[in-house]
Amino acid sequence: MKKIYVLLASLVMMVALLVAGCGSSDTKPAATKSGVSADVKAIQDRGVLNVGVKVDVPRFGFKDPKTNQIDGFEIDLTRALAKKILGDEKKIAVQAVTAKTRGPLLDNGEVDLVIATFTITEERKLSYNFSDPYFTDGVALMVKKDSGIKDLKGLDGKKIGVAQSATSKKAIQEEADKLGIKISFLEFGTYPEIKTALDAGRVDCFSVDGSILFGYLDDSTVILADRYTPQKYGAASKKSNEGLAKMVNDTITDMRKSGELDQLIKKWDLK
Amino acid sequence: MPGPFAGFKWLALVSDWSIFAEGFMQTILLSVLALTLSLLLGIFFGLLGTSDVKILRVCNRIYVEFIQNTPLVIQIFFLYHVLPHAGIMLPVFVVGVLGVGGYHGAYIAEIVRAGVESIPKGQKEAAYSQGFSYWGAMLHIVLPQAKKIAYPPLTNQAVSLIKNTSVLAMVAGGDLMYHADSWSSNTLYYGPAYIVTGLLYLSLCFPLALYARKLERNVEVTS
């Protein structure tokens, strides 16, 4: 019996160490002589900007299966930021993130920025720095053509498939409350899984930001015209990297003023 | 500075404890039912495997090899996403019980078979010579001895089964892992969420693992 106590005690200690270790690992950004903050300097010394992007959202961040190239609006944005920080838009290393991995990857420093249809919320701002929004989208609903559903009201008593970590659940719930209808949600890890669930009839509706939803439209499905609760996308960085966050924000503000951002939005045919 | 384990994230978890409790209960219920099913399947197919009739042994092999050599995730996906296309819409909870129960049933079948086969043939022959029927010999002579050998690995299967119920998170199964995923991805407070979830699974599995070790020791003493 004694052995068990020793084992348990060491387990508790391990967890405590882990918690303490991770909690104290944040460092305050200190300005260096050259005028750039330490976190930006670290990226410049490394010579490459590590960014987490989506690879399954056509026109935002999408890996073309034919060429294996990742491209899209958010990749162009990444290039513009690399140009600003490193002076060369080619010095980027993008890696695929999902809704579930983008938070941890920022925290452990594997990526400097996450530019991946990341909706800004007050709750999330407590954990990460967000830039001002670079794009605003609305939550949309996709249903099967043969279901005959025409609007949110038609979804009374139905199941709606949403992505984990997406804000669409809250947005649709609020609208449903206004209409006084009852709906339930099932959460899935990736968008293709929700589409599979819709095809199988596990859910009656696939709901996510409109621009993402268009990538999954096919002959048997239709996207309803209504859009709900504007979703503002921001570039996120680790909470302690304040210098980087400011630089990113300034760059995006400049791009908006100069019209460069609108040009990119036009280039990728986003509304 | 707020790291992944910042204090306010723990507080948020505490105030949402009912979400985790709901998932925990669902996982326990799922585990109990799946374990019951896997024991029934395991004993049935395990005994088929020790039969003298070839066709029964073939049945055992088909079940065991098919289940053991495909990933559990694919089996769950099949039940959840493919069967509806054939008009069979099983509720997700049933998918969990059938999927996880069926999966571990195959492993338990092998344990049962190994247990029975480890009893020397002479035991059964001696029973036959005393006038026992097949079932009499099995029930009174072979199985009581095989039980002792099969118990520790069976308990380990129960531990694996509990952990494997977490695959249901991938099909919105409402189990503990699903709620942990859902909560942590909504709030992005993944640090406390997964630590607590891990500890909850540990609290289920660790006592079972200890029990398995105790059983193993008992076997050592008697043999």
Side-chain angles (χ1 to χ4, degrees):
Chain A
M1 215 52 200
K2 213 172 175 186
K3 267 189 195 155
I4 299 169
Y5 286 126
V6 174
L7 199 66
L8 276 178
S10 48
L11 252 169
V12 169
M13 269 162 67
M14 250 169 61
V15 172
L17 270 174
L18 193 77
V19 173
C22 295
S24 60
S25 64
D26 303 301
T27 45
K28 275 212 156 39
T32 53
K33 284 170 217 158
S34 53
V36 292
S37 61
D39 47 348
V40 176
K41 184 89 183 15
I43 296 167
Q44 287 170 343
D45 289 346
R46 194 195 310 139
V48 62
L49 182 66
N50 295 326
V51 181
V53 298
K54 286 274 175 82
V55 291
D56 59 350
V57 185
R59 293 187 282 190
F60 277 83
F62 187 68
K63 188 173 188 172
D64 191 332
K66 281 178 210 138
T67 60
N68 259 348
Q69 289 291 312
I70 304 173
D71 216 345
F73 170 54
E74 288 176 332
I75 316 298
D76 279 349
L77 197 61
T78 303
R79 291 199 183 98
L81 288 168
K83 198 173 178 188
K84 177 87 177 178
I85 296 169
L86 297 162
D88 184 350
E89 64 168 29
K90 290 203 181 74
K91 287 183 176 166
I92 55 169
V94 294
Q95 69 161 295
V97 299
T98 65
K100 214 195 250 168
T101 62
R102 55 193 179 187
L105 285 174
L106 274 176
D107 281 327
N108 66 25
E110 197 142 318
V111 298
D112 301 311
L113 292 170
V114 164
I115 307 180
T117 62
F118 207 170
T119 304
I120 307 168
T121 68
E122 287 308 314
E123 210 171 24
R124 288 174 180 179
K125 275 188 193 167
L126 293 174
S127 300
Y128 307 101
N129 296 311
F130 279 94
S131 72
D132 288 341
Y134 56 83
F135 188 79
T136 304
D137 198 1
V139 174
L141 306 167
M142 177 193 270
V143 295
K144 274 191 185 170
K145 265 183 191 157
D146 57 24
S147 71
I149 294 166
K150 293 276 178 283
D151 51 20
L152 187 57
K153 234 179 183 150
L155 284 167
D156 196 3
K158 307 272 187 193
K159 289 183 209 138
I160 299 184
V162 295
Q164 279 167 3
S165 190
T167 44
S168 33
K169 182 175 163 183
K170 204 174 153 213
I172 299 295
Q173 185 65 60
E174 279 167 8
E175 287 300 323
D177 289 345
K178 273 186 219 159
L179 290 171
I181 60 170
K182 240 183 119 52
I183 47 175
S184 58
F185 293 94
L186 294 180
E187 293 179 37
F188 295 88
T190 64
Y191 303 127
E193 279 173 64
I194 313 177
K195 181 65 170 58
T196 313
L198 179 69
D199 289 340
R202 285 280 174 191
V203 297
D204 306 290
C205 170
F206 173 5
S207 173
V208 70
D209 303 355
S211 47
I212 298 174
L213 210 45
F214 270 105
Y216 294 93
L217 193 61
D218 60 18
D219 294 340
S220 66
T221 52
V222 59
I223 296 174
L224 304 181
D226 294 322
R227 293 287 182 278
Y228 305 97
T229 325
Q231 306 285 307
K232 294 182 168 124
Y233 296 161
S237 56
K238 192 176 174 177
K239 196 79 189 166
S240 57
N241 291 348
E242 279 161 7
L244 177 65
K246 188 172 181 314
M247 196 154 184
V248 168
N249 204 23
D250 290 349
T251 311
I252 288 175
T253 310
D254 288 347
M255 285 173 75
R256 182 179 303 107
K257 276 185 193 148
S258 69
E260 204 181 328
L261 199 62
D262 286 334
Q263 271 173 16
L264 280 182
I265 290 173
K266 218 179 224 167
K267 175 186 166 189
W268 289 102
D269 197 23
L270 306 166
K271 287 175 286 180
Chain B
M1 292 305 286
F5 299 99
F8 69 89
K9 298 182 179 180
W10 290 95
L11 289 180
L13 188 145
V14 170
S15 73
D16 284 340
W17 69 273
S18 62
I19 293 174
F20 287 82
E22 189 193 323
F24 192 52
M25 291 316 293
Q26 187 84 347
T27 288
I28 292 175
L29 190 62
L30 190 63
S31 300
V32 169
L33 290 178
L35 189 63
T36 312
L37 177 69
S38 68
L39 280 173
L40 292 175
L41 283 174
I43 291 169
F44 177 70
F45 280 97
L47 288 181
L48 287 191
T50 60
S51 160
D52 297 327
V53 186
K54 192 171 177 198
I55 184 78
L56 295 182
R57 286 205 308 274
V58 169
C59 284
N60 160 283
R61 278 344 287 168
I62 290 175
Y63 171 63
V64 169
E65 297 300 340
F66 188 75
I67 295 283
Q68 283 196 351
N69 294 305
T70 49
L72 175 57
V73 174
I74 301 236
Q75 292 164 21
I76 296 281
F77 273 11
F78 177 82
L79 292 174
Y80 189 80
H81 286 304
V82 181
L83 284 188
H85 289 287
I88 305 167
M89 182 76 89
L90 299 171
V92 69
F93 189 78
V94 177
V95 167
V97 173
L98 285 183
V100 178
Y103 180 79
H104 283 279
Y107 286 88
I108 290 176
E110 285 296 83
I111 293 170
V112 170
R113 189 173 65 85
V116 170
E117 283 180 355
S118 71
I119 306 303
K121 233 188 186 154
Q123 296 281 323
K124 205 153 98 182
E125 285 165 357
Y128 284 158
S129 75
Q130 297 297 313
F132 277 97
S133 67
Y134 171 80
W135 284 110
M138 267 293 169
L139 229 53
H140 299 291
I141 308 295
V142 178
L143 284 182
Q145 298 182 73
K147 198 173 78 177
K148 236 180 230 167
I149 293 166
Y151 250 24
L154 273 182
T155 321
N156 284 331
Q157 278 303 312
V159 172
S160 292
L161 183 142
I162 292 172
K163 289 186 290 183
N164 275 341
T165 56
S166 60
V167 299
L168 272 225
M170 301 187 73
V171 292
D175 65 319
L176 177 57
M177 195 64 197
Y178 170 74
H179 284 291
D181 275 346
S182 162
W183 186 83
S184 68
S185 58
N186 271 329
T187 56
L188 293 181
Y189 303 160
Y190 57 87
Y194 289 122
I195 287 204
V196 167
T197 304
L199 290 176
L200 285 175
Y201 276 111
L202 185 76
S203 74
L204 286 180
C205 296
F206 188 55
L208 269 177
L210 284 182
Y211 180 58
R213 205 135 42 120
K214 197 177 141 228
L215 290 174
E216 260 166 43
R217 239 176 269 140
N218 289 352
V219 175
E220 274 163 29
V221 173
T222 50
S223 62

